[in-house]
Amino acid sequence: SLRATGKSPDGVDVLVVTDSEGILGIGDQGVGGIQICIGKKSIYTAAAGVDPDRMIPVVLDVGTNNLKLLNDDLYLGIRAARVRGERYDAFIDQVVRAIQNVFPNAMVHWEDFGAGNAHRILRRYRDEICTFNDDVQGTAAVVGAAVLAGVRAKGERLRDQRVVIHGAGTAGVGVADLLVDLMVAEGLTREEARRRFWAVSSRGLVTDDPNVRFRDFQRAYARPAGESASWSRTDDTRIGLADIVANVRPTVLIGTSAQPGSFTEEIVRDMASHVDQPLILPLSNPTKLAEATPAHLLEWTDGRALIATGSPFPPVLYDGVTYTIAQANNAFVFPGLGLGVAVCRASRVTDRMIAAAAQAVASLVRIGRPGKSLLPQINDL
């Protein structure tokens, strides 16, 4: 199939590859996920000038668990449940080897894989081929940029922040991993940096409690189970976000949970009572899944919150000040990364490249007045 494109071994810079399981906000779309790859390809061109003829969108048809698609007479993909386990891994390996053979200089951009596969595939191949996962690393870089800009606006250091990640999935843990790298660059050890994080999954606070199952990629952020024994709690069955905010007093609250409204007025007011300028990032999108709206966050913090969102929001007028809301859009990062890889023929995409991207985007922001955005404007791409 790759050779059928008619492109030479040196004629492709980027392959955007998805298996369509975890498409943001809409989930499993089977072979329809090719549309996402085509969209990403267009953004590479619009934002970084990458030649569209030197990119290939690829969808991997491993079945679908979307019953609506399986029952649709017009569905073009395989009518079977998703392949899992060893067969899936063998197929991914076959795809990677084929790309290596046919387009040895191309970067593989993984897009919208499910939480159970995204980190695992990235870890498996990142030291063997030039590869990048936009949901893990692209999201991390742009969120990292917003956090850096916010911390600098407060005149503080990243290493001194207390960070709660509400939604310890593919994107949330990717953000945490990058922020740890940036804290290490400020002088902390990796273990010291990880102790600045509290991660929340669907099962509550991620801990090292052997009786609670957490995903392998979450375990680096597991808190000691005994740490919360003395906490005042509202729920005896799990340690939820409200309990964590009340006891940890975070300075940074990041939402990647897809749980609309989960940053409640009570939680936000509690956070703001202990932090002069709370940095709050409700990143879940589309808009209907946002953990909170900027208007509410500004109201509940008396205009003190520093905000970045995953969806676009219009400016908010509060107490006579117009607040421009930063959108943490991956388009700030992945197009330039792909262009850089193509220009210098990078053989790998490293953690230091992702950190450099975050620092570069943050460097474009100067917050000299209340209400200024934490990120550049999307029309300045």
Side-chain angles (χ1 to χ4, degrees), residues 195-209:
R195 287 202 294 269
R196 310 295 296 174
F197 289 80
W198 288 259
V200 191
S201 79
S202 59
R203 295 177 173 85
L205 179 66
V206 176
T207 71
D208 58 10
D209 184 345

Side-chain angles (χ1 to χ4, degrees), residues 46-287:
V50 181
D51 186 342
D53 289 334
R54 296 183 62 85
M55 293 181 285
I56 301 176
V58 179
V59 64
L60 306 178
D61 190 358
V62 292
T64 178
N65 293 339
N66 185 328
L67 293 178
K68 183 177 179 181
L69 295 178
L70 291 173
N71 292 320
D72 185 346
D73 291 339
L74 298 179
Y75 180 61
L76 298 176
I78 295 172
R79 294 175 184 275
R82 283 187 171 272
V83 172
R84 302 288 190 194
E86 291 182 5
R87 285 180 62 208
Y88 179 88
D89 290 345
F91 177 60
I92 295 295
D93 201 60
Q94 186 179 8
V95 169
V96 170
R97 302 309 163 205
I99 291 171
Q100 282 182 297
N101 289 334
V102 180
F103 303 119
N105 297 318
M107 181 181 81
V108 178
H109 167 143
W110 304 107
E111 182 71 31
D112 286 336
F113 282 70
N117 291 320
H119 282 268
R120 194 170 57 82
I121 290 172
L122 181 62
R123 284 197 305 267
R124 168 70 178 83
Y125 295 106
R126 64 176 306 169
D127 294 328
E128 294 184 20
I129 64 171
C130 185
T131 190
F132 162 80
N133 185 302
D134 190 38
D135 305 293
V136 177
Q137 296 163 296
T139 298
V142 71
V143 173
V147 172
L148 280 174
V151 168
R152 290 170 184 170
K154 296 196 291 179
E156 298 174 358
R157 298 184 301 180
L158 182 62
R159 59 177 288 174
D160 297 325
Q161 306 305 306
R162 298 181 301 280
V163 184
V164 170
I165 307 280
H166 180 52
T170 299
V173 172
V175 168
D177 287 345
L178 176 62
L179 292 178
V180 165
D181 288 341
L182 293 169
M183 288 182 181
V184 169
E186 291 187 356
L188 295 185
T189 67
R190 196 158 293 277
E191 185 54 38
E192 287 171 338
R194 284 174 176 155
R195 287 202 294 269
R196 310 295 296 174
F197 289 80
W198 288 259
V200 191
S201 79
S202 59
R203 295 177 173 85
L205 179 66
V206 176
T207 71
D208 58 10
D209 184 345
N211 298 314
V212 183
R213 284 188 61 191
F214 295 106
R215 294 183 183 273
D216 288 342
F217 66 83
Q218 297 169 333
R219 296 190 184 282
Y221 297 96
R223 307 294 302 190
E227 175 185 60
S228 54
S230 61
W231 287 7
S232 58
R233 288 168 51 184
T234 58
D235 187 340
D236 293 332
T237 61
R238 62 192 291 274
I239 304 170
L241 181 61
D243 297 327
I244 296 166
V245 170
N247 290 278
V248 169
R249 297 184 176 182
T251 59
V252 182
L253 177 59
I254 296 173
T256 48
S257 67
Q259 294 180 0
S262 52
F263 291 176
T264 65
E265 180 175 359
E266 180 184 8
I267 288 172
V268 173
R269 288 192 181 278
D270 187 12
M271 181 183 181
S273 70
H274 302 293
V275 182
D276 184 42
Q277 288 183 288
L279 190 50
I280 306 177
L281 295 86
L283 300 175
S284 294
N285 59 28
T287 306

Side-chain angles (χ1 to χ4, degrees), residues 29-54:
Q29 294 299 299
V31 294
I34 191 64
Q35 299 292 340
I36 298 295
C37 298
I38 293 169
K40 291 283 180 167
K41 178 179 170 230
S42 300
I43 296 172
Y44 270 110
T45 300
V50 181
D51 186 342
D53 289 334
R54 296 183 62 85

